[in-house]
Amino acid sequence: MQYLLLIYDDEKARWNAPADICDALHTEYRQLVGELVRDKIYVGGNPLQQTETASSVRVREGKTHITDGPFAETREQLGGYFLIEAPDMAAARAIAARLPGARNGTVEVRPIVSLPM
């Protein structure tokens, strides 16, 4: 089954961290991705640009409304995601716990709904 691991953290702290800390985190993520690819668990994933680059789109009564910024103001922002293949929720949670972002943020684990093609 596929699971989406949504990585939330304080984006100001992440984007303003010293270069050596950022480099260490990137190295740790790359190593983890390498292991997950090797074990045929990793399907995909990416970090996201800062929320200031986001747009929110809503359609109400046939009219499109676009606002700059994220959907909601929160303490932690969505900073990236992993899409993984795992046998069950327990295995997906164990992988989420290995993400560096889980140490100072939150990783939300969501099962993917399989739709017939």
Side-chain angles (χ1 to χ4, degrees):
M1 179 167 201
Q2 289 188 339
Y3 294 87
L4 190 60
L5 310 181
L6 300 162
I7 306 163
Y8 294 89
D9 66 3
D10 177 348
E11 86 175 354
K12 286 188 174 103
R14 179 173 22 98
W15 284 92
N16 294 317
D20 60 328
I21 291 175
C22 289
D23 291 345
L25 281 173
H26 292 152
T27 297
E28 194 173 349
Y29 269 110
R30 280 192 298 276
Q31 289 172 344
L32 179 58
V33 168
E35 291 175 28
L36 297 176
V37 166
R38 179 196 67 215
D39 296 339
K40 297 180 173 52
I41 294 169
Y42 186 79
V43 177
N46 286 295
L48 300 175
Q49 291 189 16
Q50 296 181 57
T51 55
E52 68 188 29
T53 66
S55 292
S56 296
V57 179
R58 295 170 182 81
V59 178
R60 302 294 185 268
E61 298 177 6
K63 291 187 177 183
T64 302
H65 303 274
I66 299 172
T67 54
D68 291 334
F71 170 68
E73 295 290 327
T74 60
R75 231 175 12 99
E76 295 180 331
Q77 296 77 35
L78 179 60
Y81 67 93
F82 273 35
L83 180 60
I84 62 167
E85 187 79 40
D88 54 36
M89 179 61 91
R93 288 177 181 154
I95 293 165
R98 295 176 61 196
L99 295 176
R103 290 194 303 263
N104 59 0
T106 303
V107 179
E108 181 180 352
V109 180
R110 300 277 299 268
I112 300 291
V113 175
S114 286
L115 297 174
M117 296 305 267

